[in-house]
Amino acid sequence: MDTSQLLKGVLDLAVLAVLKDDDGYGYDVLRRLRSGGMGEVGDASVYGTLRRLYRAGYLTSYVVPSDEGPHRKYYGVNEAGRVKLAESELAWREFAETLDGILRKGAAA
């Protein structure tokens, strides 16, 4: 199954979730998503999502100098982002439960 369309629908939720307890920079967020099982997520999608969530007011950002290369822009979830995360998580769980019920009934029909 091609999961690219599914990823588009849940990437905001996934990014907020991986940043909720620990700030991170772009590649770090990408690595966390991939190690969490989202191996197909693309670099550009994650960077674009971070910028969009920041512009929407759900993330804070700050720059940390690096001795090994360019400075890194870190992102963290602010209070508005925590509210968005909670709302999105609830919507996801309700949707997943609904779809699971449909799939079970379809298999039984």
Side-chain angles (χ1 to χ4, degrees):
M1 175 180 179
D2 178 18
T3 59
S4 61
Q5 293 301 314
L6 292 173
L7 282 173
K8 287 179 185 178
V10 299
L11 195 51
D12 286 9
L13 173 59
V15 167
L16 289 170
V18 300
L19 288 173
K20 74 177 179 179
D21 295 324
D22 192 22
D23 296 355
Y25 55 95
Y27 183 74
D28 181 47
V29 171
L30 180 66
R31 183 186 51 76
R32 291 184 210 178
L33 291 170
R34 287 181 175 164
S35 69
M38 295 182 115
E40 295 180 28
V41 70
D43 300 22
S45 295
V46 171
Y47 287 101
T49 298
L50 286 167
R51 286 190 301 273
R52 189 170 20 75
L53 290 171
Y54 176 77
R55 282 193 313 266
Y58 300 128
L59 298 177
T60 59
S61 72
Y62 55 95
V63 176
V64 175
S66 173
D67 294 334
E68 300 174 8
H71 299 328
R72 292 182 174 155
K73 186 173 189 176
Y74 279 75
Y75 294 91
V77 180
N78 59 24
E79 188 57 34
R82 292 187 190 289
V83 170
K84 178 69 171 172
L85 174 59
E87 293 170 351
S88 297
E89 182 178 357
L90 178 61
W92 169 257
R93 293 189 188 285
E94 289 173 353
F95 177 79
E97 185 177 314
T98 299
L99 183 57
D100 189 48
I102 291 169
L103 291 170
R104 288 174 194 238
K105 287 178 185 174

